[in-house]
């Protein structure tokens, strides 16, 4: 395939590629697998850890980098020469933030690729982050957290929810910011310089793919940064208003009705006419 014809197709997972039952529909799977076989780069870009992506990576028979933790961990499972990216939070900063945020939150979870530190059990996070095979540390992070983690997710206290106060506390650390999860009682703290967008910029540079050949799909705020570096960005029909206003277009259907399949088929027809 000529280099200038190669596409980078990056897809968010939950609410985008996956339907409510957390599966990729057969037609979507066949289309993405076909594009991968043709030499295009299909990239899974998620807030999930790598262990929660391998199943889908293998299902699609991909040969591309993985974007995990919203860009804090980027690597290629089959190519050690691809430059690996790992961002970590200093454990002292994590503990400081949790202590200051305690009036507004009831739980915190941090992890790297081998260990999970969590204040108290949370069934939603357990399902999303796939605890199986991980070393678990429960209790006060002041006592349990002994290394620098890659991710920091907190659950708000509904009786005292003050987003502005939370932002002010987090922004005392000038390199950090906060992102609230649309429709859920969780938020994450992240490096301002780290995003799905920064990860895709690195991937596109490595594979010499121009911006006009980058196609991205997402449904939430953490996808906006990758939309900004895309030639074509698609907000899922089921996404929130912030993501929709930052996209070039909205998917033809939602994630429960093969939104990626129908929209990507249309985009490919347009691209082939260039």
């Amino acid at each position: 395939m000529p280099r200038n014809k190669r596409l980078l197709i990056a897809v968010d997972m939950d609410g985008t590629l996956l339907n409510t039952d957390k599966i990729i529909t057969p037609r979507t799977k066949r289309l993405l697998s076909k594009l991968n076989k043709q030499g295009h780069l299909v990239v899974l870009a998620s807030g999930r850890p790598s262990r929660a992506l391998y199943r889908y990576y293998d299902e699609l028979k991909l040969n591309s980098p993985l974007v995990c933790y919203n860009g804090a961990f980027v690597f290629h499972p089959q190519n050690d020469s691809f430059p690996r990216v790992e961002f970590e939070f200093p454990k002292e900063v994590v503990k400081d933030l949790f202590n200051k945020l305690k009036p507004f939150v009831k739980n915190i979870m941090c992890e790297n690729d081998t260990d999970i530190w969590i204040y108290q059990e949370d069934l939603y996070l357990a399902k999303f982050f796939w605890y199986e095979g991980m070393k678990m540390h429960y209790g006060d992070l002041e006592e349990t957290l002994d290394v620098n983690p890659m991710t920091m997710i907190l659950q708000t206290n509904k009786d005292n929810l003050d987003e502005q106060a939370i932002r002010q506390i987090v922004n005392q650390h000038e390199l950090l910011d906060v992102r609230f999860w649309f429709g859920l009682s969780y938020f994450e703290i992240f490096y301002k310089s780290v995003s799905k967008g920064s990860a895709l910029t690195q991937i596109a540079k490595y594979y010499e793919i121009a911006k006009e050949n980058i196609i991205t799909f997402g449904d939430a705020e953490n996808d906006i940064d990758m939309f900004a570096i895309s030639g074509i960005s698609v907000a899922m029909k089921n996404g929130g208003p912030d993501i929709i206003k930052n996209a070039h277009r909205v998917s033809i259907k939602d994630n429960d009705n093969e939104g990626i399949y129908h929209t990507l088929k249309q985009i490919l027809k347009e691209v082939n006419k260039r």
Side-chain angles (χ1 to χ4, degrees):
M1 172 182 297
R3 188 172 292 170
N4 64 350
K5 291 291 187 180
R6 193 179 205 187
L7 300 175
L8 193 171
I9 303 163
V11 294
D12 170 57
M13 299 297 293
D14 298 274
T16 303
L17 179 63
L18 304 181
N19 64 15
T20 301
D21 295 325
K22 302 301 182 186
I23 66 170
I24 308 171
T25 60
R27 286 199 297 184
T28 303
K29 187 185 303 184
R30 285 195 297 270
L31 177 59
L32 293 177
S33 297
K34 178 182 177 181
L35 290 167
N36 173 71
K37 194 172 182 179
Q38 289 174 345
H40 300 294
L41 204 64
V42 178
V43 174
L44 305 183
S46 176
R48 289 174 177 242
S50 58
R51 65 184 177 277
L53 295 177
Y54 283 135
R55 165 190 161 187
Y56 305 108
Y57 187 91
D58 292 340
E59 267 187 50
L60 295 169
K61 298 180 172 60
L62 299 182
N63 180 19
S64 56
L66 274 174
V67 177
C68 313
Y69 302 135
N70 293 318
F73 185 31
V74 186
F75 72 106
H76 196 311
Q78 302 173 35
N79 180 4
D80 291 337
S81 66
F82 179 84
R84 189 181 181 100
V85 173
E86 294 184 42
F87 278 89
E88 297 177 336
F89 295 95
K91 59 182 182 294
E92 295 79 14
V93 171
V94 175
K95 294 175 182 179
D96 174 67
L97 282 172
F98 184 48
N99 286 330
K100 290 178 178 176
L101 289 169
K102 277 183 178 177
F104 310 104
V105 303
K106 64 179 183 179
N107 204 7
I108 183 173
M109 189 204 78
C110 300
E111 70 162 70
N112 58 25
D113 230 28
T114 58
D115 293 65
I116 292 175
W117 296 265
I118 189 165
Y119 187 61
Q120 59 187 9
E121 183 60 275
D122 184 301
L123 296 178
Y124 177 81
L125 291 178
K127 183 177 180 180
F128 186 82
F129 279 88
W130 295 27
Y131 289 177
E132 185 177 352
M134 299 292 286
K135 185 175 181 181
M136 302 297 300
H137 309 268
Y138 293 97
D140 194 334
L141 270 63
E142 196 69 55
E143 300 175 1
T144 62
L145 186 63
D146 54 356
V147 301
N148 299 332
M150 290 181 181
T151 188
M152 192 184 338
I153 296 171
L154 300 96
Q155 185 176 21
T156 58
N157 183 344
K158 292 182 179 179
D159 296 329
N160 188 21
L161 175 57
D162 190 332
E163 291 189 8
Q164 184 176 357
I166 291 172
R167 287 188 185 278
Q168 288 177 344
I169 291 170
V170 173
N171 291 153
Q172 289 174 8
H173 298 269
E174 62 178 2
L175 299 179
L176 301 180
D177 206 347
V178 60
R179 180 188 296 121
F180 292 88
W181 291 10
F182 177 69
L184 295 170
S185 61
Y186 298 89
F187 66 94
E188 60 192 282
I189 296 172
F190 62 96
Y191 280 99
K192 295 176 183 177
S193 61
V194 178
S195 67
K196 293 182 182 182
S198 64
L200 291 182
T201 297
Q202 175 204 349
I203 293 170
K205 183 177 180 181
Y206 183 84
Y207 289 98
E208 299 181 342
I209 298 175
K211 178 178 179 177
E212 65 182 32
N213 291 332
I214 300 175
I215 303 169
T216 53
F217 290 84
D219 76 311
E221 185 184 345
N222 62 336
D223 300 311
I224 292 174
D225 285 326
M226 72 173 181
F227 281 11
I229 58 92
S230 308
I232 301 174
S233 57
V234 183
M236 299 303 293
K237 197 172 185 178
N238 49 283
D242 284 345
I243 189 72
I244 288 175
K245 74 181 182 183
N246 280 281
H248 292 120
R249 64 177 77 185
V250 177
S251 64
I252 297 170
K253 297 188 178 184
D254 62 23
N255 68 309
D256 279 329
N257 291 281
E258 300 186 305
I260 284 185
Y261 171 79
H262 292 288
T263 311
L264 187 53
K265 289 278 282 187
Q266 182 183 75
I267 290 172
L268 292 172
K269 289 179 183 178
E270 296 171 10
V271 170
N272 289 332
K273 291 178 181 179
R274 289 177 185 171

